[in-house]
Amino acid sequence: MSDEKHPDEDQPDKEEREEAQDDLNFQEIYRALNLDFIEDDFDGNGIPLIGEMHGNLLATIERFVDEVMESRDLAFTSDGAKLTPLRFARYFPLMPALMRQNRPPWSHSLKVERFFKTAEMLEPLTLRYPQSKAGSMTEGEVFNAFIASLRASCRSTAFRRQLRQQDMRTKRRLEKLRRYIENLFRLYSRILVIRIDFLYKGAGDAITLERVLKDFATLVNNGRHNKIFEHQIGSIRRLEYGVKDHYHIHAVFIFDGSKVWKDAFIAEMIGAYWVKITEGRGHFHNCNRAKNKYRRLGIGMISHDDAAMRANLMLALAYLCKKDQLLWVEPGQRVRAIECGRLGSRQRSGRGRPRQSGPHGGDGQ
């Protein structure tokens, strides 16, 4: 399907177009990351690479950097004999834990990376007691110097330009996905949204980028002759790269909701097909089997007139667009992170939204 708008396409204003982008702040994305990283994403010591505590602490760093950028405050003031706590004093006891969140080879958001880079000036201090001496200064005064340095770095023209460029890229991606979904709802009275994470058992050099892309292309191309995909009307795939050369794909498959409705069952069949295509090397995570874990559900059956579910779907897509701002490992090769599948011959050729409804509106789990 072309990304170009039809002349009679709805034209939401700028505020409406950016609603999903604005609603999904970094706390929401880290919360979703906690759900995304499943049981086999561990580092070499068996420690989960992301989890509720790790995600929450990264969100704390984001909030800290934002507050530093927007203010002139420090953590302590001194009269020569005594330190008096100020606004940022509450972050002082958190610093040892926050500094431990840097876990190469993960790259983090621009703000978190800038925090870690600036925090190098604190090493080997542990910042335990504000009054403790650290050379000619107290630890509280060293923390003040860290805040001042972080503020100057984050307010630089170059850093602000990086933030703007990243935000623009994300907005372009999200606008493309929004048009894609709007075009589907223009053609179908309801759609069935299925999300599956495609992964591989183990990791290493054997799981190359070319291997992953070829396996996924095989699944998509063979799907044209597979009854599982008979009523598929669209797809979105998000390529990601984890530690230990671990590539994986977050995929969204969209079906005509008047023809199919058992979303969790269909997702299971697609996952089994992935295992077959990869000759047992691959495995999958059926997100539609665990819909109760999502605070704002954006998968399953969605009617064209269900404003709440449609908004949740756009939030889910905004998450796929924005998450690489927060946690990402560069694959070192140029490849599109997000792609929309082109709709094939199964798409309706006529204009306008069909109004006939199938007998079922649930997910049939």
Side-chain angles (χ1 to χ4, degrees), residues 62 65-66 69 109-111 154-170 325:
E62 295 273 353
V65 174
D66 280 340
M69 291 178 66
S109 76
L110 290 171
K111 293 176 182 177
C154 290
R155 286 182 174 179
S156 69
T157 301
F159 185 72
R160 289 184 178 275
R161 185 185 301 117
Q162 285 181 289
L163 290 175
R164 286 195 301 271
Q165 290 172 343
Q166 187 178 63
D167 192 51
M168 288 172 60
R169 286 195 300 270
T170 299
Q325 295 183 13

Side-chain angles (χ1 to χ4, degrees), residues 38-56:
I38 58 179
E39 64 274 4
D40 45 6
D41 282 313
F42 292 89
D43 67 10
N45 299 315
I47 300 174
L49 292 168
I50 192 76
E52 184 174 0
M53 182 55 66
H54 185 52
N56 288 348

Side-chain angles (χ1 to χ4, degrees), residues 89-123:
R90 71 185 190 277
Y91 285 103
F92 183 89
L94 299 177
M95 286 299 293
L98 297 183
M99 292 167 65
R100 286 196 298 269
Q101 301 311 300
N102 192 9
R103 303 185 181 184
W106 287 110
S107 296
H108 298 84
S109 76
L110 290 171
K111 293 176 182 177
V112 172
E113 285 293 316
R114 190 57 57 102
F115 171 90
F116 289 141
K117 181 65 177 176
T118 309
E120 291 176 1
M121 66 178 285
L122 301 176
E123 297 175 353

Side-chain angles (χ1 to χ4, degrees), residues 185 189-193 297-304 306 309-310 313:
F185 277 117
S189 60
R190 63 185 183 218
I191 64 176
L192 189 71
V193 180
L297 184 64
I299 57 178
M301 189 71 75
I302 306 178
S303 297
H304 77 278
D306 189 335
M309 282 288 285
R310 286 181 64 163
L313 172 59

Side-chain angles (χ1 to χ4, degrees), residues 176-177 213 235-239 335-341:
K176 179 179 179 180
L177 293 185
L213 294 178
S235 66
I236 299 165
R237 77 108 173 101
R238 169 68 198 241
L239 174 70
V335 63
R336 255 182 215 171
I338 297 179
E339 282 191 335
C340 298

Side-chain angles (χ1 to χ4, degrees), residues 237-305:
R237 77 108 173 101
R238 169 68 198 241
L239 174 70
E240 294 191 8
Y241 178 81
V243 297
K244 297 183 293 185
D245 300 324
H246 195 161
Y247 289 96
H248 53 281
I249 288 175
H250 299 296
V252 176
F253 296 95
I254 305 171
F255 291 80
D256 180 352
S258 67
K259 301 291 181 61
V260 294
W261 51 91
K262 296 183 178 181
D263 58 320
F265 176 70
I266 295 172
E268 206 69 23
M269 289 195 296
I270 295 174
Y273 192 44
W274 169 258
V275 174
K276 179 180 178 181
I277 285 173
T278 60
E279 298 178 339
R281 293 169 301 185
H283 65 118
F284 66 97
H285 177 62
N286 180 351
C287 299
N288 290 64
R289 283 280 185 209
K291 291 188 291 187
N292 62 316
K293 74 179 183 179
Y294 295 97
R295 295 176 67 245
R296 292 192 262 186
L297 184 64
I299 57 178
M301 189 71 75
I302 306 178
S303 297
H304 77 278
D305 57 355

